[in-house]
Amino acid sequence: MSRFLAPRLASLEAYVPGEQPREMQYVKLNTNESPYPPCPAVERAVSTAAVRRLNLYPDPAGSELRRALAARYGLAAENVLLGNGSDEILNFAFTAFASPEKGAACPDISYGFYPVFAALHGLPLLEVPLKEDFTLCPGDYYGLDRLIVFANPNAPTGLSIRPEQVEDILRHNPDSVVVVDEAYVDFGAESCAKLVKQYDNLVVCMTFSKSRSMAGARLGFALAQPALIADLETIRCSTNPYNINSLTLAAGAAAIGQDEYYMENCRRVAQTRAYTKEQLDRRGFVTLPSLANFLFTSCPGLDGGELYRALKARGVLVRWWDKPRLRPFVRVTIGTPEQMNVFLAALDGIREER
Amino acid sequence: MSRFLAPRLASLEAYVPGEQPREMQYVKLNTNESPYPPCPAVERAVSTAAVRRLNLYPDPAGSELRRALAARYGLAAENVLLGNGSDEILNFAFTAFASPEKGAACPDISYGFYPVFAALHGLPLLEVPLKEDFTLCPGDYYGLDRLIVFANPNAPTGLSIRPEQVEDILRHNPDSVVVVDEAYVDFGAESCAKLVKQYDNLVVCMTFSKSRSMAGARLGFALAQPALIADLETIRCSTNPYNINSLTLAAGAAAIGQDEYYMENCRRVAQTRAYTKEQLDRRGFVTLPSLANFLFTSCPGLDGGELYRALKARGVLVRWWDKPRLRPFVRVTIGTPEQMNVFLAALDGIREER
């Protein structure tokens, strides 16, 4: 820390993303990436001709991609905001819709970035405990009178609530914005995008990083009523109006045009998830019923940290958090069936050794 | 504006970038893009293989590119921060190094985004008037005791100060951070990058958008001592740790490896600038001596707004601001010699008509 840092930021602890090792080959099941590549239409969109035009700025309005996303979700372009990944959009929402007087609320166990955004903006954060079984109870969110943010499906649990339950939260917080972070929704949960027309306090946040195989391209989007999108646009254009690069805009539009390819990949991930869970059940693991592209699982008698380290030593990266309630578990991304068999074989090797 | 927007943001006016028309063909001399494409090494770096790996997250540390930039500027990787364009870095600096108690300072005529950042963060902004001839006087910046930001060369004037004059400002503000925005430095001015080792309060901010023909890829960087970079990294990782996409990281590293190509392009732009200024002089225009890739010029007897509209009607886009002191002028990006001849012919046509 330099002597120049604003004092209010002195205790700010940045978000720590999962390991992204560059040198050694791991079976990488730690950051919830898709195991499948982008479709050929995306390869064609990122053409040599497009690279030759990089001397020109991108379209700051992202009009073509916003139109494509609007059509995909049965909405209008004015309902769509584009972000440099959905993290950027979440940050915009914390900027626009929370005040230091009222603050924000999120589940006590959820995406680890929410508390970082709250700290960055000096917002008191109400962390609402999940139930003992890690489920989210809508009643715990009634009348909170502050910005509410949760992931659905939740991370790292993979558990989800139904749109009717989200509506219950929306109706009991008519004067607060509710952000539903649907980063993992395409792997089996039901989206709240269809509720956007009905609720003026709903922001649905999605990403191309998971189901659409574009984590490396950085693209997220929000769906909401035009007034909320306009506010988020004000923040976007007051921080970085050219926030999405030309190649990612082109890749995103091409990907939306090939939606069937990506939704088929999601079905494959869901099958592999069912297979992996069954294999873990057979081995005596306790695994939550996930609708995301990862499993949250614990091995009786083996601490999550020990399991994480033993797997890493065998070339398999998973994620583990040294935090109350999370310690017994590891979060395992669903890769290809072949990758999951390597993971399962590594588990067997670890158990044999003990 | 929705009823949910935080009241402190109710009067926030976003930055308005120059027009980026998608449909009609213009000779586009309005947003200071390079008229030359990226080098072939950049085309190769954005390969089909790289697109196929977009399912994986980028390196959040940007290590390879930071090492390449450090080597280019005679510094270490710890002296380098990467941004999604330099706008993002400027926003990080306003976040990290200014407080609502002390605020920030910038020239009254400069990059129009500085006042937007100040408003976004609720910072009082001291706008220091440039002299009558649009030059910046270092003495006006002595002991300001707040974050200081200026562009060098300045925009939209193109005028610059010498590193010794920047040092004068640095020495007279030992307890404040001074950000020197060198977006246009490669077209003829002298960089303050060499001062980074000496001054712990200096941040030099640069971009790939202008001299390196990558406006569409979104890439900026800052050079500073490690303690300042660490603070900016804390802000970066508290907003968007994966802020640079994989293809831009690869393109940036490839571009730095071909520096001679880009510096030769800068020399061509400087030649075209000299030619254009001479042609404007002959036509009786008043043009400031620019060291950037644009000219700030006015036509006696013709308002800047009129000139802007008349040029647009003839298919040439330039930039004009409806603001005191700026109104008589237009800012004209230096394109290829062919583009500048179209611009000059359009001027002649406009004058003939009158």
Side-chain angles (χ1 to χ4, degrees):
Chain A
M1 197 179 86
S2 83
R3 63 194 176 90
F4 302 100
L5 186 66
R8 75 198 147 77
L9 300 171
S11 61
L12 179 62
E13 284 182 43
Y15 178 73
V16 180
E19 297 156 273
Q20 299 291 3
R22 299 286 131 185
E23 277 119 39
M24 190 181 149
Q25 283 291 18
Y26 285 98
V27 174
K28 210 173 157 301
L29 305 177
N30 69 328
T31 53
N32 297 343
E33 292 142 329
S34 169
Y36 303 111
C39 65
V42 168
E43 291 175 26
R44 288 191 297 273
V46 185
S47 63
T48 301
V51 176
R52 282 192 191 137
R53 283 192 303 270
L54 281 180
N55 57 313
L56 302 178
Y57 277 99
D59 174 11
S63 302
E64 183 195 350
L65 177 54
R66 284 168 68 208
R67 276 194 300 268
L69 282 165
R72 165 68 173 79
Y73 290 97
L75 295 163
E78 296 72 45
N79 294 112
V80 184
L81 176 95
L82 303 179
N84 182 34
S86 56
D87 288 342
E88 186 178 66
I89 293 174
L90 293 168
N91 188 33
F92 293 163
F94 275 86
T95 306
F97 303 127
S99 66
E101 296 73 39
K102 294 188 174 177
C106 68
D108 66 334
I109 293 174
S110 194
Y111 184 29
F113 220 137
Y114 305 149
V116 177
F117 290 130
L120 175 68
H121 295 290
L123 303 169
L125 182 67
L126 177 67
E127 298 192 79
V128 183
L130 295 177
K131 299 296 169 201
E132 191 63 34
D133 62 357
F134 295 106
T135 54
L136 184 152
C137 174
D140 294 342
Y141 290 80
Y142 286 179
L144 294 187
D145 192 29
R146 67 191 73 201
L147 175 68
I148 296 171
V149 184
F150 56 87
N152 192 41
N154 199 9
T157 64
L159 302 182
S160 59
I161 59 174
R162 306 253 328 134
E164 305 86 79
Q165 295 174 290
V166 174
E167 284 193 85
D168 193 21
I169 295 173
L170 287 163
R171 275 195 296 257
H172 282 90
N173 291 279
D175 296 322
S176 302
V177 169
V178 176
V179 177
V180 183
D181 179 353
E182 294 192 349
Y184 301 105
V185 77
D186 291 327
F187 300 101
E190 195 172 332
S191 174
C192 292
K194 63 180 179 183
L195 302 180
V196 159
K197 284 182 184 165
Q198 207 176 331
Y199 292 93
D200 74 348
N201 59 334
L202 169 63
V203 176
V204 175
C205 195
M206 298 199 201
T207 178
F208 280 64
S209 293
K210 315 295 181 185
S211 58
R212 290 192 172 97
S213 300
M214 267 175 50
R218 315 308 303 125
L219 184 60
F221 59 101
L223 305 174
Q225 292 196 2
L228 288 185
I229 294 294
D231 289 344
L232 294 168
E233 275 288 319
T234 299
I235 306 301
R236 185 182 76 84
C237 293
S238 299
T239 54
N240 204 355
Y242 295 111
N243 61 330
I244 320 281
N245 73 86
S246 307
L247 302 179
T248 294
L249 285 175
I256 289 298
Q258 303 290 319
D259 210 51
E260 187 44 45
Y261 168 84
Y262 293 102
M263 295 309 120
E264 173 59 25
N265 284 348
C266 291
R267 286 188 285 273
R268 291 160 74 186
V269 166
Q271 283 169 7
T272 310
R273 180 180 67 209
Y275 163 77
T276 307
K277 179 166 187 309
E278 188 208 323
Q279 290 294 317
L280 288 167
D281 289 349
R282 286 193 196 176
R283 288 162 174 84
F285 280 65
V286 176
T287 308
L288 300 191
S290 167
L291 287 180
N293 68 335
F294 52 81
L295 290 171
F296 197 52
T297 187
S298 72
C299 176
L302 194 60
D303 175 71
E306 290 174 90
L307 184 55
Y308 158 78
R309 285 184 292 273
L311 282 166
K312 187 170 179 179
R314 288 168 183 267
V316 179
L317 274 186
V318 298
R319 196 140 190 213
W320 169 73
W321 290 268
D322 189 12
K323 286 183 183 162
R325 297 186 76 182
L326 300 183
R327 256 180 222 115
F329 292 84
V330 294
R331 190 195 68 186
V332 185
T333 303
I334 302 300
T336 61
E338 296 71 28
Q339 288 176 314
M340 301 324 286
N341 282 332
V342 172
F343 160 70
L344 293 164
L347 286 186
D348 293 339
I350 290 164
R351 287 146 59 99
E352 270 165 32
E353 255 183 14
R354 295 176 69 88
Chain B
M1 197 178 85
S2 82
R3 61 194 177 92
F4 302 100
L5 186 67
R8 75 196 147 76
L9 300 172
S11 62
L12 179 62
E13 283 182 43
Y15 178 73
V16 180
E19 296 157 274
Q20 299 291 2
R22 300 286 131 186
E23 277 119 40
M24 191 182 148
Q25 282 292 18
Y26 284 99
V27 175
K28 209 173 158 303
L29 305 177
N30 69 328
T31 53
N32 297 342
E33 291 143 329
S34 170
Y36 303 111
C39 65
V42 168
E43 290 175 27
R44 288 191 297 273
V46 184
S47 62
T48 301
V51 176
R52 284 193 189 136
R53 283 192 303 271
L54 281 180
N55 57 313
L56 303 178
Y57 277 99
D59 174 10
S63 302
E64 183 195 351
L65 177 54
R66 284 169 67 207
R67 276 195 301 268
L69 283 165
R72 165 69 174 78
Y73 290 97
L75 295 163
E78 295 74 44
N79 294 112
V80 184
L81 177 95
L82 303 179
N84 182 34
S86 57
D87 288 341
E88 186 178 66
I89 293 175
L90 293 167
N91 188 32
F92 292 163
F94 275 86
T95 306
F97 304 128
S99 66
E101 296 74 39
K102 293 188 173 177
C106 69
D108 66 334
I109 293 174
S110 194
Y111 183 29
F113 220 137
Y114 305 149
V116 178
F117 290 131
L120 175 68
H121 296 290
L123 303 169
L125 182 67
L126 178 67
E127 298 193 78
V128 183
L130 296 177
K131 298 297 169 201
E132 192 60 36
D133 62 358
F134 295 104
T135 55
L136 184 153
C137 174
D140 293 341
Y141 291 80
Y142 286 180
L144 293 188
D145 192 28
R146 69 191 73 202
L147 174 69
I148 296 171
V149 183
F150 56 87
N152 192 41
N154 199 10
T157 65
L159 302 182
S160 59
I161 58 174
R162 307 254 327 132
E164 306 86 78
Q165 295 174 289
V166 174
E167 283 193 85
D168 193 20
I169 294 172
L170 287 163
R171 276 196 297 258
H172 283 89
N173 291 281
D175 296 322
S176 301
V177 169
V178 176
V179 177
V180 184
D181 179 352
E182 294 192 349
Y184 301 105
V185 77
D186 291 329
F187 300 101
E190 195 172 331
S191 173
C192 292
K194 62 180 182 184
L195 302 179
V196 159
K197 285 182 182 165
Q198 207 175 330
Y199 293 93
D200 74 348
N201 58 334
L202 170 64
V203 175
V204 176
C205 195
M206 299 198 200
T207 178
F208 280 64
S209 294
K210 314 295 180 183
S211 59
R212 290 191 172 98
S213 300
M214 267 173 51
R218 315 309 303 126
L219 185 59
F221 59 102
L223 305 174
Q225 291 198 1
L228 287 186
I229 294 293
D231 289 344
L232 293 168
E233 275 287 318
T234 298
I235 306 302
R236 186 183 75 85
C237 293
S238 299
T239 53
N240 205 354
Y242 295 110
N243 61 330
I244 321 280
N245 72 87
S246 306
L247 301 179
T248 294
L249 285 174
I256 288 298
Q258 303 290 320
D259 211 50
E260 187 44 45
Y261 168 84
Y262 293 101
M263 296 309 119
E264 173 59 24
N265 284 348
C266 291
R267 285 187 287 273
R268 292 161 73 186
V269 166
Q271 283 170 7
T272 310
R273 181 179 66 211
Y275 162 77
T276 307
K277 180 167 185 309
E278 190 208 321
Q279 291 293 319
L280 289 167
D281 289 349
R282 285 193 197 178
R283 288 162 172 83
F285 280 64
V286 176
T287 308
L288 299 191
S290 168
L291 288 180
N293 68 335
F294 52 82
L295 290 171
F296 196 54
T297 187
S298 72
C299 175
L302 194 60
D303 174 70
E306 291 174 272
L307 186 54
Y308 156 78
R309 285 184 292 272
L311 283 166
K312 187 170 178 179
R314 288 168 182 267
V316 179
L317 274 186
V318 299
R319 195 139 191 214
W320 169 73
W321 290 268
D322 189 12
K323 284 183 184 164
R325 296 187 76 181
L326 299 183
R327 259 182 219 112
F329 293 83
V330 294
R331 191 195 68 186
V332 185
T333 303
I334 302 300
T336 60
E338 296 71 27
Q339 288 176 314
M340 301 324 287
N341 282 333
V342 173
F343 160 69
L344 293 165
L347 286 186
D348 294 339
I350 291 164
R351 286 145 60 98
E352 270 164 34
E353 257 182 16
R354 293 175 71 87

